[in-house]
């Protein structure tokens, strides 16, 4: 036989949603750090193993492709973490309604409210995605592509990343 949920159950869910929210935010930073580290590693391997005269696009395109994949995958994961953050905000806002926490919140000065739950923090993700894209463009240039080709690759990755984040918002 099941029992009806009480306030203790609601508070436990509220705490769980809040913990998930903070975990996802921390995970976003981890993704950013690891993506940049992986892109740097992808550049380092051929620059270390191949002589300078062999750093040409025909020899290094697999590494450039791998850098592009790392940037796109990292942004995809950031977008999915963003969805989780928005979902958890909805959960804890609903629980606030049920437990009276919302009334308590009205008595405490707030930096951000429910109206910004969906958009708060998205700008930082766009910056991270742009940094990934520029790292990929720079990586392509370091791996033998022309500066123009590196710029085109970087802009292409930036556009794909922006689209992924926009779609997730």
């Amino acid at each position: 036989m099941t029992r009806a949920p009480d306030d203790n159950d609601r508070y436990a869910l509220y705490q769980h949603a809040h913990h998930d929210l903070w975990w996802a935010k921390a995970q976003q930073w981890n993704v950013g750090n690891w993506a940049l580290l992986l892109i740097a590693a992808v550049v380092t391997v051929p620059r270390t193993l191949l002589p300078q005269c062999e750093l040409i696009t025909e020899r290094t395109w697999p590494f450039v492709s791998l850098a592009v994949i790392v940037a796109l995958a990292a942004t995809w994961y950031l977008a999915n973490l963003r969805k989780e953050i928005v979902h958890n905000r909805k959960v804890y806002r609903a629980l606030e309604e049920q437990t009276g926490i919302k009334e308590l919140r009205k008595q405490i000065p707030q930096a951000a409210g429910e109206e910004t739950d969906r958009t708060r923090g998205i700008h930082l993700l766009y910056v991270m995605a742009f940094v990934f894209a520029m790292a990929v463009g720079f990586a392509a240039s370091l791996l033998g592509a022309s500066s123009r080709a590196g710029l085109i690759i970087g802009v292409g990755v930036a556009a794909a990343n922006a689209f992924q984040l926009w779609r997730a918002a």
Side-chain angles (χ1 to χ4, degrees):
M1 180 194 282
T2 60
R3 64 175 175 76
D6 61 13
D7 277 350
N8 288 333
D9 299 323
R10 289 181 183 93
Y11 289 127
L13 283 172
Y14 181 83
Q15 185 179 13
H16 182 74
H18 195 260
H19 176 269
D20 283 354
L21 177 68
W22 281 104
W23 176 87
K25 286 181 176 185
Q27 196 67 13
Q28 287 176 331
W29 283 104
N30 289 335
V31 169
N33 291 335
W34 279 104
L36 291 175
L37 183 64
L38 284 170
I39 291 168
V42 165
V43 171
T44 302
V45 170
R47 288 199 52 97
T48 303
L49 297 178
L50 295 175
Q52 186 70 26
C53 63
E54 291 186 30
L55 286 175
I56 56 174
T57 309
E58 291 78 18
R59 296 282 314 257
T60 59
W61 70 264
F63 297 100
V64 174
S65 299
L66 189 56
V68 169
I69 290 168
V70 167
L72 294 175
T75 303
W76 172 83
Y77 190 49
L78 287 176
N80 283 301
L81 286 169
R82 175 82 185 137
K83 287 179 189 177
E84 288 297 316
I85 288 171
V86 171
H87 170 74
N88 284 317
R89 284 181 178 153
K90 286 180 186 177
V91 168
Y92 78 69
R93 293 291 184 190
L95 291 167
E96 284 178 353
E97 292 273 341
Q98 297 174 19
T99 58
I101 294 174
K102 186 172 185 177
E103 293 303 315
L104 182 61
R105 270 192 189 270
K106 289 179 183 177
Q107 299 172 19
I108 302 169
Q110 298 293 311
E114 191 172 349
E115 64 279 354
T116 64
D117 279 354
R118 186 144 191 85
T119 58
R120 195 173 340 125
I122 191 73
H123 300 97
L124 177 61
L125 297 184
Y126 278 108
V127 169
M128 291 170 89
F130 179 76
V131 169
F132 297 161
M134 293 306 100
V136 168
F138 189 58
S141 295
L142 287 172
L143 292 174
S146 67
S147 296
R148 182 176 181 210
L151 180 64
I152 291 169
I153 292 169
V155 168
V157 171
N161 285 349
F163 177 73
Q164 285 188 77
L165 291 172
W166 171 80
R167 204 176 90 201

